[in-house]
Amino acid sequence: MGTRILRLVGPALLLLLLLLLQPPVGAAGFAQSLDGDFTFTLPAGRTECFFQPMRAGASLEIEYQVLDGAGLDVDFHLQSPKGVTLIFDQRKSDGVHTVEAEDGDYMFCFDNTFSTISEKVIFFELILDNVGEEGQDQEDWKKYITGTDLLDMKLEDILESINSVKARLSRSVQIQNLLKAFEARDRNIQESNFDRVNFWSMVNLGVMVVVSAVQVYMLKSLFEDKRKSRT
């Protein structure tokens, strides 16, 4: 009896252990997918560059937005590990670019040298696909499938479902980050417009007060008797 229970429970415990120890992988081909985002302030007349190490066969996706600053624009360029300029955006407010990577460090820069006064607030997000080790890792866990037939479960199907859910959750997080970036940029635009409306409203009010005073003075001067009375 005890041996039978052990034979039934053993594969379930093994499956749970595999799920806990299995490294995070993506839904497509169990390839690892990583992403990260960063927001920084780029001073006027400055250039900021970042480096991302990649391996052959992976893909690099970069999405950026200018959240605040006069013109909401910036220059952007991406260089390969060999120093070749792959992408160059001139004075754009946002952009999305995807490249198939090779071994080495990729450099991408944000250039605000064309602006001498206004600093820019920039948000960018990196999405790295197929950056994990595949091949051997997949073969390692496949050998543990033996014995799970007792519970009528397929480890591949379970892992595929889990990875599919993880990929969709990761994509949801990415979309939420982008929506927050859009909301921040729209809020900055609205606040800037609010300040402009208030400023010009005060200017118009001042002009109206001056014009009213001049009109009152002119009308009053028309009815004044300037003739000198003799006694």
Side-chain angles (χ1 to χ4, degrees), residues 103-170:
D103 289 326
D105 295 336
Y106 282 77
M107 181 181 72
F108 56 98
C109 299
F110 299 92
D111 187 356
N112 194 31
T113 55
F114 60 84
S115 178
T116 58
I117 300 177
S118 176
E119 64 181 16
K120 308 293 174 62
V121 178
I122 300 174
F123 164 84
F124 70 87
E125 182 178 23
L126 297 179
I127 302 175
L128 314 178
D129 290 327
N130 300 326
V131 295
E133 295 294 335
E134 303 178 22
Q136 185 61 39
D137 290 340
Q138 299 183 26
E139 297 299 327
D140 289 340
W141 61 260
K142 284 183 178 179
K143 63 185 180 181
Y144 292 106
I145 297 178
T146 304
T148 57
D149 293 337
L150 295 175
L151 300 179
D152 194 23
M153 289 188 288
K154 295 182 179 180
L155 185 57
E156 287 189 18
D157 295 338
I158 296 175
L159 289 176
E160 185 175 358
S161 300
I162 294 175
N163 289 325
S164 178
V165 173
K166 177 181 178 295
R168 286 172 171 79
L169 291 176
S170 299

Side-chain angles (χ1 to χ4, degrees), residues 75-115:
D75 290 344
F76 170 83
H77 70 269
L78 174 66
Q79 285 188 356
S80 69
K82 298 179 180 179
V84 179
T85 300
L86 303 176
I87 298 168
F88 178 72
D89 291 341
Q90 186 173 13
R91 305 193 68 168
K92 288 189 175 182
S93 61
D94 56 75
V96 181
H97 303 287
T98 303
V99 295
E100 296 299 325
E102 59 186 44
D103 289 326
D105 295 336
Y106 282 77
M107 181 181 72
F108 56 98
C109 299
F110 299 92
D111 187 356
N112 194 31
T113 55
F114 60 84
S115 178

Side-chain angles (χ1 to χ4, degrees), residues 66-73 118-121 188:
V66 182
L67 303 181
D68 194 15
L72 293 177
D73 54 0
S118 176
E119 64 181 16
K120 308 293 174 62
V121 178
N188 291 329

